Amino acid sequence: MCREKKKLKKPEIHLTADSGWMNDPNGFSYYKGQYHMFYQYHPFSSIWGPMHWGHAVSKDLIHWSYLPVALVPDMKYDKDGCFSGNAISLSDEKQVLIYTGVKNEIQTDGSVKGVQTQCLAIGDGITYEKNKDNPVITEMDIPNGFSRYDFRDPTIWKKKDGTYCSLVANRAPNGSGQVLLFKSKDIFKWKYEKVFIKNDFRYGTMWECPDFFELDNNAVFVVSPMDIKEENAEGYNGNGTLCLIGSYDEDADVFDEKSGHLIDYGIDFYAPQTVEAPDGRKIMIGWMQNWDSCNLRVDETDWYGQMSVPRELSIQNNRLIQWPIQELDDLRCNKVEYKNIVFTGEKRFDGIYGRIVDLEIQIESEDSQKLFEIFELRFAQNDVHYTSLKYLPGHNKVEINRELSGYERAIINKRHCKVKNQSGHIKFRIIMDRYSVEVFINDGEQVMTSTIYTEQDARDISFIVQGNIKMHIVKYDLKA
Ligand code: FRU
């Protein structure tokens, strides 16, 4: 494929690399008075390549400054990539990064596979030095038959008794994902404990990027499964995000899983990580892209890959609730509001347009005895292109569709999710930026995220209704 380099304006409120390629959030942490976001980074082009760790810091999770690259694949054990991992602060004020080192190995059939090991780097928030005894966890530490090629993305926490724990994603002998628990007294020497959680092909095959934390008196396990089958996951296929909610017995290291559901029902959201803010909020950011489509671009751009908006998490009724962090409210300006509008057919409203907006919409049937058939919102719209969000109350279904957004490749452009039955009543909060839309449904019970690379002059927003609805809209522009 012939690629031409295209200069793209950066998103207004979403983090990207300064230039080059970016994927997973790594080492998302609060350290020395600011948030640190490291990320999978290929500085030399906007296509995935030998992974580095890029590094940015922020006081408010919205305005970021870039710092020097934190990890470069320059050692024998990580020469083919410093893959995803996490960060933890030590009592002596140093910060430790735990990451996966990749070293390619030529197979007997000539193909290449990366052997994956877990490594450490110690730093001060700006400069990080690799541990001289890397790698600290290798294939030698795990039972026979567990994959040495799919063994990555460590997360880390410290228990109340001072023991460090790390969960590492792995592939079991049957090819399914599993997550392994390792423990350490001093963070440098690690011992394999056990298989902490098994997939057993329930949700996809290999699991990537585990995260594990306590939230609202629950233990929450977040992971990104590959190759999800729609029959197991509410109609969703491919790579996605999953959360399992349950309880954790810290003494016995047992996670008792009670329920599970997808985290994002849209097209582009993967490998999220969480941080605990100084005020106790749990905040999650994911990579706003999809592995199935990101390498099928027509043009090479000067940067590629965006992070989602930071989302505050809570648990209600065994669901992970996500809501844009309150810091985003400070970016709202130019409010336009329409209350109790009753209509049918197609409609546009003065002042309701734009590509960098925060839009709140509440809908209900105008006649409580007669449900409307379809509500459709079209946005990033011009004469040729638009993306649509549809709500079909009779089917309790919300659908996002970017088939007409101008994407050149025949990739996944449509997703749907089932929403609870509220007789036609639904709430949306829609955060749009230059190249993305994040739809928060019913106060964050469900979220659908999608990138949209429609030309920037496609700024119209229109509403199409079959049946009769009553609607309340509030729209703000967002300015960082
Ligand atoms: C997830 C992932 C990780 C890996 C990294 C490589 O998106 O595949 O498993 O560490 O990306 O860039």
Side-chain angles (χ1 to χ4, degrees), residues 21 23-24 40 48 51 82-85 100 152-153 208-209 270-271 287 291:
W21 161 280
N23 59 288
D24 312 356
Q40 289 287 279
W48 191 87
M51 282 291 106
C82 299
F83 274 19
S84 287
T100 298
R152 59 181 172 271
D153 309 337
E208 300 188 305
C209 302
Y270 200 66
W287 178 42
W291 280 118

Side-chain angles (χ1 to χ4, degrees), residues 231-452:
E231 61 268 31
N232 302 337
E234 305 163 74
Y236 191 104
N237 76 323
N239 302 321
T241 44
L242 169 72
C243 90
L244 301 176
I245 301 172
S247 57
Y248 173 47
D249 176 341
E250 192 173 285
D251 298 326
D253 283 314
V254 172
F255 174 60
D256 184 12
E257 178 189 326
K258 299 214 169 67
S259 64
H261 63 85
L262 298 183
I263 296 177
D264 195 293
Y265 296 81
I267 306 171
D268 296 295
F269 188 80
Y270 200 66
Q273 283 199 349
T274 54
V275 69
E276 188 171 316
D279 59 10
R281 287 175 299 163
K282 198 64 165 165
I283 296 170
M284 178 174 76
I285 289 185
W287 178 42
M288 199 162 51
Q289 210 55 70
N290 177 336
W291 280 118
D292 288 327
S293 54
C294 58
N295 285 320
L296 294 172
R297 283 170 289 149
V298 174
D299 301 308
E300 198 185 324
T301 41
D302 48 340
W303 59 267
Y304 188 77
Q306 310 170 66
M307 295 299 172
S308 69
V309 291
R311 303 169 180 184
E312 183 178 344
L313 302 180
S314 57
I315 303 276
Q316 279 166 36
N317 303 323
N318 285 323
R319 284 199 72 89
L320 186 69
I321 308 295
Q322 304 170 59
W323 197 243
I325 52 165
Q326 73 213 24
E327 286 82 343
L328 264 178
D329 297 356
D330 299 339
L331 311 184
R332 289 170 152 189
C333 54
N334 305 333
K335 180 175 178 182
V336 179
E337 183 168 17
Y338 291 89
K339 285 185 181 157
N340 296 327
I341 319 151
V342 171
F343 78 98
T344 183
E346 184 170 352
K347 210 161 163 57
R348 292 178 191 219
F349 296 91
D350 279 350
I352 307 279
Y353 65 91
R355 269 304 267 281
I356 307 173
V357 299
D358 186 343
L359 190 61
E360 292 177 348
I361 303 176
Q362 273 197 56
I363 306 157
E364 59 192 295
S365 261
E366 197 237 327
D367 174 351
S368 60
Q369 303 303 310
K370 197 167 183 299
L371 210 54
F372 58 95
E373 286 99 59
I374 302 179
F375 166 84
E376 181 181 359
L377 174 79
R378 293 186 177 176
F379 52 93
Q381 181 175 19
N382 59 15
D383 292 344
V384 188
H385 294 131
Y386 66 86
T387 294
S388 95
L389 177 75
K390 267 190 194 155
Y391 171 45
L392 295 95
H395 300 269
N396 299 314
K397 186 169 149 180
V398 171
E399 181 188 275
I400 187 145
N401 185 338
R402 62 172 189 198
E403 279 167 348
L404 296 179
S405 70
Y407 225 127
E408 295 96 338
R409 305 263 56 88
I411 54 172
I412 284 212
N413 282 320
K414 202 157 88 172
R415 289 274 197 210
H416 73 267
C417 71
K418 284 278 184 193
V419 290
K420 65 184 178 201
N421 184 350
Q422 296 186 126
S423 314
H425 182 258
I426 197 160
K427 278 164 119 178
F428 294 113
R429 177 160 176 204
I430 301 162
I431 309 272
M432 280 181 226
D433 200 346
R434 291 197 168 88
Y435 316 101
S436 62
V437 59
E438 290 163 272
V439 181
F440 295 82
I441 305 168
N442 289 332
D443 300 311
E445 274 179 7
Q446 279 158 302
V447 186
M448 302 182 91
T449 300
S450 175
T451 51
I452 34 170

Side-chain angles (χ1 to χ4, degrees), residues 14-174:
H14 291 84
L15 176 66
T16 70
D18 195 18
S19 68
W21 161 280
M22 176 176 89
N23 59 288
D24 312 356
N26 291 159
F28 188 21
S29 50
Y30 188 82
Y31 172 64
K32 288 193 177 166
Q34 50 189 353
Y35 295 98
H36 290 250
M37 175 59 87
F38 303 86
Y39 45 87
Q40 289 287 279
Y41 181 42
H42 186 229
F44 307 117
S45 84
S46 67
I47 313 281
W48 191 87
M51 282 291 106
H52 297 54
W53 275 36
H55 187 188
V57 286
S58 172
K59 293 254 181 236
D60 61 2
L61 292 164
I62 311 269
H63 302 88
W64 294 92
S65 322
Y66 297 105
L67 289 182
V69 169
L71 296 177
V72 172
D74 58 1
M75 303 303 277
K76 250 195 196 148
Y77 52 85
D78 66 13
K79 67 179 180 50
D80 295 299
C82 299
F83 274 19
S84 287
N86 224 303
I88 192 167
S89 317
L90 300 183
S91 43
D92 68 357
E93 305 259 294
K94 288 270 185 305
Q95 191 182 39
V96 172
L97 309 181
I98 182 161
Y99 70 98
T100 298
V102 181
K103 182 180 165 191
N104 283 345
E105 190 183 77
I106 300 176
Q107 311 294 298
T108 42
D109 65 359
S111 64
V112 175
K113 275 184 171 180
V115 176
Q116 305 188 334
T117 56
Q118 317 319 318
C119 308
L120 303 175
I122 297 104
D124 59 1
I126 300 173
T127 310
Y128 293 83
E129 202 173 311
K130 290 180 187 168
N131 171 37
K132 60 178 180 7
D133 294 325
N134 274 346
V136 292
I137 304 176
T138 73
E139 61 187 280
M140 306 299 281
D141 298 302
I142 52 177
N144 253 341
F146 287 14
S147 175
R148 54 204 285 266
Y149 305 114
D150 282 314
F151 184 31
R152 59 181 172 271
D153 309 337
T155 186
I156 189 166
W157 74 96
K158 195 177 178 180
K159 291 218 286 197
K160 288 190 201 93
D161 69 3
T163 314
Y164 291 98
C165 292
S166 178
L167 294 181
V168 186
N170 182 242
R171 207 185 270 266
N174 69 359

